[in-house]
């Protein structure tokens, strides 16, 4: 059964730092991979989607990549800001499945 | 603006009572999903539907039921058979058959927090 691991579970950084969040799948055969942001008590906001034919996506200060040979993805956040404080969730799907989620990384950026 | 609307935002259920959570989307998406989120846990799939009048069980379907009579709507009923229903429930949708790796990714609603009293 596919499982998703996100490391670290929590991260605290000062404002301005560049940081990397990690996500790994037990089965590397991932079609779509999606990174989400969740604020406390709120729904999920999609950040980046890497579709089956892609390996990387960028949006502003965010960059996500997927290594399909290893089943590992990273989310890079440049020049972090206090407004980036949230929980970041990684999710992927395979043939015949809906998105499977990791437990998330809770990020705190201090000013 | 297109999006997914979940209602109510907060819901309280008494022991032995069935309750229904609403999920409506105006994105013209084919597929819809229900997930459950518990503190410190990832999202777990309850049910999903790829087309009208068809739906499949996810990993934790016991104690839940759904219907898909309209493309826009995918209500979730939490029955009295669900012994631990207190959780945050999230509805999502995707274009095409997102289950099979196509489409534009998932869009989520703002969630319903269900509490047993």
């Amino acid at each position: 059964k596919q499982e998703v691991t996100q490391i670290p579970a929590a991260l605290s950084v000062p404002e301005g730092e560049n940081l990397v969040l990690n996500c790994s799948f037990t089965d590397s055969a991932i079609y779509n991979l999606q990174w989400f942001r969740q604020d406390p008590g709120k729904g999920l906001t999609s950040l980046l989607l890497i579709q089956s034919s892609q390996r990387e996506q960028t949006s502003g200060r965010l960059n996500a990549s997927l290594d399909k040979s290893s089943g590992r993805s990273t989310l890079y956040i440049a020049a972090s800001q206090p407004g980036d404080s949230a929980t970041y969730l990684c999710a992927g799907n395979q043939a015949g499945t809906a998105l499977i989620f990791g437990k998330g990384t809770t990020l705190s950026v201090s000013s | 603006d297109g999006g997914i609307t979940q209602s109510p935002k907060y819901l309280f259920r008494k022991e032995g009572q069935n309750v229904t959570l609403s999920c409506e989307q105006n994105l013209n998406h084919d597929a819809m999903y229900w997930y459950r989120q518990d503190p410190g846990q990832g999202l777990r799939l309850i049910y999903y539907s790829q087309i009208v009048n068809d739906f499949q069980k996810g990993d934790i379907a016991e104690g839940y039921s759904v219907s898909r009579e309209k493309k826009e709507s995918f209500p979730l009923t939490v029955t009295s058979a669900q012994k631990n229903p207190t959780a945050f429930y999230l509805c999502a949708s995707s274009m095409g058959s997102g289950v099979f790796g196509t489409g534009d990714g998932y869009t989520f609603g703002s969630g319903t927090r269900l509490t047993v009293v």
Side-chain angles (χ1 to χ4, degrees):
Chain A
K1 181 182 177 183
Q2 177 74 280
E3 293 184 356
V4 186
T5 300
Q6 291 191 243
I7 295 173
L11 183 61
S12 293
V13 300
E15 182 176 6
E17 274 205 8
N18 302 326
L19 54 100
V20 174
L21 308 182
N22 297 288
C23 172
S24 63
F25 294 80
T26 52
D27 186 332
S28 62
I30 301 296
Y31 282 133
N32 281 2
L33 183 136
Q34 203 165 354
W35 281 92
F36 295 89
R37 168 186 173 136
Q38 186 177 32
D39 293 293
K42 305 294 185 182
L44 274 62
T45 299
S46 180
L47 298 173
L48 292 165
L49 168 68
I50 300 177
Q51 294 182 315
S52 56
S53 60
Q54 301 169 331
R55 296 294 181 269
E56 187 176 8
Q57 282 290 322
T58 297
S59 176
R61 294 182 293 109
L62 305 180
N63 173 274
S65 63
L66 173 61
D67 181 348
K68 293 204 170 187
S69 64
S70 65
R72 296 177 183 273
S73 177
T74 60
L75 177 66
Y76 176 81
I77 303 177
S80 58
Q81 303 171 356
D84 294 331
S85 298
T87 296
Y88 291 80
L89 295 164
C90 167
N93 72 317
Q94 300 177 287
T97 75
L99 280 183
I100 298 170
F101 284 80
K103 294 183 179 181
T105 294
T106 299
L107 173 64
S108 176
V109 182
S110 57
S111 57
Chain B
D1 286 339
I4 298 180
T5 301
Q6 290 188 241
S7 63
K9 188 172 183 177
Y10 299 97
L11 186 58
F12 298 91
R13 193 194 91 166
K14 295 180 180 180
E15 294 286 346
Q17 188 179 43
N18 291 354
V19 293
T20 297
L21 284 60
S22 172
C23 179
E24 303 276 337
Q25 55 99 359
N26 61 2
L27 298 166
N28 198 34
H29 283 174
D30 295 307
M32 297 186 74
Y33 315 83
W34 275 105
Y35 285 88
R36 168 179 172 146
Q37 187 178 35
D38 295 284
Q41 299 293 318
L43 277 67
R44 292 182 291 168
L45 183 66
I46 304 173
Y47 268 99
Y48 64 95
S49 168
Q50 298 177 65
I51 57 173
V52 174
N53 293 323
D54 186 52
F55 48 82
Q56 288 78 41
K57 293 182 179 180
D59 298 323
I60 56 167
E62 185 175 352
Y64 300 97
S65 65
V66 294
S67 63
R68 187 88 186 276
E69 298 177 359
K70 298 186 300 181
K71 186 176 185 178
E72 301 80 14
S73 179
F74 191 39
L76 174 73
T77 296
V78 184
T79 74
S80 57
Q82 172 50 241
K83 298 307 179 186
N84 185 24
T86 295
F88 191 49
Y89 291 86
L90 289 156
C91 179
S93 69
S94 67
M95 177 70 74
S97 181
V99 170
F100 296 100
T102 60
D104 297 330
Y106 287 31
T107 300
F108 277 82
S110 58
T112 293
R113 187 166 300 280
L114 174 62
T115 303
V116 174
V117 296

